[in-house]
Each structure stands twice: as structure tokens, then as C-alpha cells.
Amino acid sequence: MTKRKRTYTMLGTLIGAVAAALVFVVPFLFMFLESVKDKKESNMLKFSLPTQWHFENYGQVIKNNNYQLLRAFKNSAIITVGAVLLLVVICSMAGYFIQRRGDRLSRAASNYITIGLMVPPSIMPTIWIMQGLHLYKTMPGMILIETALTIPFTTMLYRSFVATIPIELEEAAMVDGCSSPRIFTSIIFRLLQPVTVTAVILNSVTVFNDFMNPLYFLPGTKNATIQLTLYSYISLFKTEYNLLFANVILVVLPMLILFLFLNEKIVAGMTSGAVKG
């Protein structure tokens, strides 16, 4: 690499870092500084250090409405864990089936899942079906909704990764007398660990941060998820920006930490299935 190319590379990296800081770091820092100010100072919305740090704002937000935020965290965690577990089990098998089977049934399944990536969900018919199944306004129903909406993307993610696994491994296992279910559980699923980590992280962030679906399919204060608390707090703290920003920080922080620490695993899992061979 010539000196000029190294200079351009370093300049591009610097520009990218500055752009990322302006887009992501600066707004987050502004919200944090506003969250630890008093009411009068925060309402001025100035990007400055507080004259006095008020970390008790976070405690006040947590205690509000009889610890509604903690209940919302619990509800979001239950929905996220349930949906992600179902997605890993269902989509890993579906991706394996679609990739390895080249018959008409697998092609029809692939086309059906691809349509799911393009067609948006219909709210009223879904509510009507859930009411008929007695799943409306229930946690199991919400878990099934989140699972169904994320199946197409997760299945395609698994399918692309299965294409990188040599089929000779399965042929050798069949010669040794392994059944198809045993081959998948003992060999294939273990090799799917990188893409499974990627699917778990991406779907956890998606489901945990979902706002629209719980608003439609899981109404009620007892069923509030973490994003819905932010929606209610906007009206509750409309004149107290310090408490509003404190709530935003508490809502964003868990998934932000998860994403930052596991970002490399996400990229590795998605790119490992990009090229076959």
C-alpha cells in the first residue's frame, strides 16, 4: 500500500469515526446530561454539564406508577426470550430443510417465506384470529406474533449459512447409521452456532425494542412493555425533560450494551454465510 493510499485510508477512517460520533454518541451524551439535571435546568435543553448532578432522577422514574418500568422490563424480557427460543428452533430447521431439499415442496416453502418479507401484516384480521384463539391481550399470543413476524428474515439467515456446510458431513453420518433428526441435532445445529448467535442478538434487539405490535396486540397497563412505558411517560413528563430523558436512557441502555459488546459476532455470523465454499 502506497503512502498516498494509507493517507486516504486514515482520512476515511477519521471521517467515519467523526460521523459516527455526531450521529450516535452526541445525541446519547446530550440525553444523559439532560437526565441528571434538575427540572428547571433541563427544560432549557442546553448541551452543557449540569450545575448539580441529580442521579436520583433515575430512581424516581423507576418508582413511578408503582414500579411500572420494572414490570415492563419483565414483560419485555419474557416476550423476547420466548420469541427468540421459538425462532432459533423453528428457523434453524426450516433453513436447513429449504437449503438441503431441492424438491417442489422446499421451493414452495422458500417462496412463501420470501413473500413474508415483502407483505406487511394486517392488524384487524390478526386481532380477530387472536380473539378467536383466546390469545389476544396475552403474553403467549404476543410471543407468537413476534415469532411469526421475524420468521422470514431469520429463516433466510439460517439458509444462507447452511449453504456453507459441506454436505459430505451429512453423507458420512448417514453411512454410519445416523437418522436425519440425529444428523441435524448432533452435527448441523452445532455448526450453526455463529449464525445462531447473530439471530439471537438481532432478534432480541428487534423484539425488545418493538413498539407497534405490543401497542396493537397487548394493550393494558399490566401488559405494558418497555417501549410502551416511554409512550406513556411522554405525556406524564412532558414538562419534566430530566425525567423523560432518564426514562429514555433506561429503555435504550440494555440493548445498546448488548449490541456494542457483541457487534463483532453479529457481523461474523452474517458474513460467514455470504459466500458458499
Side-chain angles (χ1 to χ4, degrees):
M1 182 181 293
T2 63
K3 184 177 180 180
R4 178 176 294 182
K5 288 184 178 180
R6 287 197 298 268
T7 302
Y8 287 154
T9 301
M10 293 178 60
L11 183 61
T13 303
L14 179 61
I15 294 174
V18 172
L22 291 175
V23 174
F24 299 105
V25 179
V26 173
F28 187 83
L29 182 59
F30 172 77
M31 289 190 298
F32 172 73
L33 292 176
E34 290 297 309
S35 69
V36 292
K37 295 178 180 179
D38 59 23
K39 178 181 177 181
K40 181 179 179 180
E41 191 176 4
S42 66
N43 287 347
M44 298 173 67
L45 296 176
K46 290 185 177 180
F47 198 158
S48 60
L49 292 175
T51 54
Q52 187 175 358
W53 299 79
H54 294 273
F55 289 101
E56 65 272 11
N57 292 340
Y58 289 93
Q60 185 176 345
V61 170
I62 293 174
K63 295 177 182 179
N64 184 68
N65 286 343
N66 195 21
Y67 296 92
Q68 183 186 25
L69 191 66
L70 296 182
R71 294 198 305 271
F73 264 113
K74 183 190 73 172
N75 292 338
S76 293
I78 292 173
I79 295 171
T80 301
V81 172
V84 168
L85 287 176
L86 286 177
L87 285 168
V88 169
V89 174
I90 295 172
C91 297
S92 60
M93 293 188 291
Y96 174 71
F97 171 81
I98 292 173
Q99 179 60 36
R100 287 293 191 249
R101 291 278 297 269
D103 55 8
R104 183 179 300 176
L105 179 60
S106 65
R107 289 193 295 270
S110 178
N111 293 333
Y112 184 74
I113 290 175
T114 303
I115 293 174
L117 289 170
M118 300 180 292
V119 178
S122 183
I123 303 299
M124 294 308 298
T126 305
I127 292 177
W128 179 73
I129 293 174
M130 293 180 68
Q131 288 175 336
L133 297 174
H134 303 288
L135 292 174
Y136 186 57
K137 297 183 182 180
T138 65
M139 298 294 285
M142 193 66 243
I143 291 173
L144 292 177
I145 288 291
E146 296 289 1
T147 302
L149 293 176
T150 325
I151 278 179
F153 168 76
T154 310
T155 301
M156 293 297 103
L157 199 64
Y158 273 106
R159 179 187 178 182
S160 64
F161 192 89
V162 171
T164 66
I165 300 176
I167 197 172
E168 289 79 11
L169 292 175
E170 301 164 52
E171 294 173 347
M174 293 180 65
V175 171
D176 291 338
C178 286
S179 61
S180 295
R182 180 70 181 277
I183 291 173
F184 178 79
T185 55
S186 301
I187 300 176
I188 301 300
F189 189 74
R190 295 185 180 183
L191 296 175
L192 294 176
Q193 182 179 355
V195 72
T196 297
V197 172
T198 300
V200 167
I201 298 171
L202 291 179
N203 288 323
S204 295
V205 174
T206 300
V207 175
F208 191 85
N209 291 334
D210 190 12
F211 170 76
M212 296 302 299
N213 293 313
L215 180 65
Y216 291 135
F217 304 116
L218 196 65
T221 55
K222 293 184 179 180
N223 298 327
T225 59
I226 193 65
Q227 298 300 325
L228 292 182
T229 63
L230 181 58
Y231 179 67
S232 62
Y233 282 12
I234 288 176
S235 59
L236 183 64
F237 298 142
K238 60 183 177 181
T239 59
E240 299 178 85
Y241 287 109
N242 54 342
L243 300 181
L244 180 60
F245 283 120
N247 183 74
V248 173
I249 294 293
L250 290 174
V251 169
V252 172
L253 200 57
M255 290 298 107
L256 178 62
I257 294 174
L258 178 67
F259 188 84
L260 290 177
F261 277 95
L262 301 177
N263 182 49
E264 292 184 0
K265 293 184 179 295
I266 297 174
V267 176
M270 295 189 71
T271 57
S272 58
V275 180
K276 181 178 179 180

